[in-house]
C-alpha cells in the first residue's frame, strides 16, 4: 500500500491510500487507527504533503563506501548518526530555501525508513514489525557549513532541508532498490541500497539502543556518491525505486 498525506478543503489535512482512480481519503492515522471514507481525490487535484510529520529525523552518515570515498573519509566501524529537526521537513513541490549563510548547498538522495511503533532496544531480527514503510528523502546539506562547524546540526538543520515523499510504501524489501537524484533532469546520483554499509535492521537496532523511536519518526539511511550543488532556479528530484519521486524547486532565501 502507498500512504500519503493530502490537503483537502482549506486547512484540513488527511491521510490517504493510493488507489487506481485516486487517493482514498481516510479518517484517523495509520500510526494509530484509520478507516477509509467514501471520498476519493483524483491525482490531478491532490495536493500532497510530506507523508509523515516526525518528532525527529535520525540520519546516518557515510553509509555508502563510494560517498565516504568522495568525502575523503574512512568507512566507520559503527554507524555515525546525527539528527535533523522536524522543522526541516517539507513535502513534494515545496521550495527548498537556500540560506544566505551558505554558498554551497548539496542534494543527498536517501532511502527513508518510517517507524510505525514505539521502538526501544530492539534487536535487528525483531525490527520488521516496527517499520510502517519507506519513503524517499533528500538530506539537503550546507556543505561549507558542515566543513566549517565540524559537527552537523547547522549544516543539516535549516528549515526546508528535509524533503520527504511522495508516499510511504508499506510493502517493500529495502534491499536492492535503485536510488537516483536528478537536477533539472540531469542525473547526479545513481546508487543501489544493496551498497549500504549498514542495512536497515542494523541501523534501527543501533539507533534504538540510543534513543526511543516514536511512531512517525524517520531514519535516513545515507547517500551514495555524486552529491553536488543546487542553486536557485533548479528543480531537484530524488527517486527511490518502487516508492517514487519527491521533486522540489530551489529558491534563494534572505
Ligand atoms: Zn545524508
Amino acid at each position: 500500500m502507498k500512504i500519503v498525506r493530502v490537503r483537502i478543503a482549506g486547512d484540513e489535512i488527511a491521510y490517504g491510500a493510493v488507489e487506481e482512480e485516486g487517493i482514498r481519503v481516510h479518517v484517523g492515522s495509520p500510526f494509530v487507527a484509520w478507516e477509509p471514507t467514501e471520498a476519493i481525490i483524483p491525482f490531478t487535484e491532490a495536493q500532497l504533503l510530506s507523508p509523515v510529520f516526525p518528532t525527529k529525523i535520525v540520519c546516518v552518515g557515510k553509509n555508502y563506501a563510494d560517498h565516504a570515498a568522495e568525502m575523503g573519509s574512512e568507512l566507520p566501524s559503527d554507524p555515525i548518526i546525527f539528527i535533523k529537526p522536524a522543522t526541516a521537513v517539507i513535502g513534494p513541490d515545496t521550495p527548498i530555501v537556500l540560506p544566505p549563510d551558505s554558498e554551497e548547498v548539496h542534494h543527498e538522495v536517501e532511502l527513508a525508513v518510517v517507524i510505525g511503533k514505539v521502538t526501544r532496544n530492539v534487536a535487528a531480527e525483531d525490527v520488521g514489525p516496527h517499520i510502517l514503510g519507506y519513503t524517499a528523502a533528500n538530506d539537503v546539506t550546507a556543505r561549507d557549513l558542515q566543513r566549517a562547524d565540524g559537527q552537523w546540526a547547522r549544516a543539516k538543520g535549516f528549515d526546508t532541508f528535509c524533503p520527504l515523499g511522495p508516499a510511504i510504501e508499506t510493502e517493500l524489501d529495502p534491499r536492492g532498490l535503485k536510488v537516483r537524484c536528478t537536477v533539472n533532469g540531469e542525473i547526479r546520483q545513481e546508487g543501489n541500497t544493496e551498497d549500504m554499509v549498514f542495512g536497515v535492521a542494523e541501523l534501527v537496532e543501533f539507533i534504538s539502543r540510543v534513543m526511543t523511536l516514536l511512531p512517525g519518526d524517520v531514519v535516513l539511511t545515507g547517500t551514495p556518491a555524486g552529491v553536488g550543488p543546487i542553486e536557485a532556479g533548479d528543480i531537484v528530484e530524488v527517486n527511490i525505486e518502487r516508492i517514487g519521486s519527491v521533486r522540489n524547486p530551489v529558491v534563494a532565501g534572505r
Side-chain angles (χ1 to χ4, degrees):
M1 187 200 306
K2 280 192 161 74
I3 298 171
V4 294
R5 244 166 98 245
V6 283
R7 188 182 299 283
I8 35 186
D11 284 342
E12 211 183 328
I13 289 168
Y15 281 98
V18 174
E19 294 185 0
E20 227 160 273
E21 326 79 83
I23 292 161
R24 170 79 60 184
V25 176
H26 283 56
V27 289
S29 140
F31 297 98
V32 186
W34 67 330
E35 276 187 36
T37 69
E38 293 297 307
I40 289 192
I41 304 174
F43 293 117
T44 50
E45 290 169 27
Q47 194 188 341
L48 293 186
L49 305 170
S50 74
V52 63
F53 197 78
T55 72
K56 57 187 169 294
I57 303 117
V58 186
C59 310
V60 180
K62 300 171 193 165
N63 200 32
Y64 287 77
D66 57 357
H67 174 59
E70 77 178 347
M71 300 294 288
S73 304
E74 303 278 305
L75 279 184
S77 51
D78 276 325
I80 307 287
I81 61 171
F82 59 95
I83 285 184
K84 281 168 105 80
T87 43
V89 171
I90 56 173
D93 303 315
T94 307
I96 295 168
V97 180
L98 301 176
D101 297 343
S102 170
E103 289 177 357
E104 192 188 4
V105 174
H106 282 191
H107 53 78
E108 293 189 358
V109 56
E110 313 210 358
L111 173 72
V113 183
V114 179
I115 298 296
K117 45 170 136 169
V118 176
T119 300
R120 184 166 177 274
N121 276 327
V122 174
E125 60 265 32
D126 300 324
V127 159
H130 289 259
I131 294 173
L132 177 66
Y134 298 88
T135 192
N138 190 345
D139 175 19
V140 181
T141 303
R143 196 70 69 200
D144 50 351
L145 304 184
Q146 183 183 28
R147 280 192 295 263
D149 289 358
Q151 57 88 31
W152 306 347
R154 182 166 69 135
K156 302 273 192 176
F158 285 98
D159 288 0
T160 76
F161 270 27
C162 192
L164 292 177
I168 303 167
E169 173 59 67
T170 60
E171 287 140 68
L172 186 68
D173 182 338
R175 294 167 298 187
L177 299 174
K178 289 184 194 131
V179 304
R180 191 179 66 216
C181 176
T182 63
V183 177
N184 304 327
E186 179 189 310
I187 293 175
R188 293 278 192 88
Q189 291 182 273
E190 250 182 329
N192 193 299
T193 58
E194 74 189 359
D195 296 323
M196 295 197 318
V197 178
F198 302 101
V200 166
E202 263 178 294
L203 291 174
V204 174
E205 173 183 327
F206 182 84
I207 294 163
S208 82
R209 290 210 303 265
V210 180
M211 65 191 84
T212 302
L213 293 166
L214 297 178
D217 281 353
V218 171
V219 174
L220 301 195
T221 56
T223 198
V227 300
I230 50 175
E231 283 163 17
D234 286 346
I235 303 284
V236 58
E237 179 172 339
V238 293
N239 177 277
I240 310 278
E241 186 179 8
R242 297 196 49 216
I243 294 173
S245 292
V246 57
R247 184 187 306 121
N248 303 89
V250 181
V251 301
R254 60 183 120 120

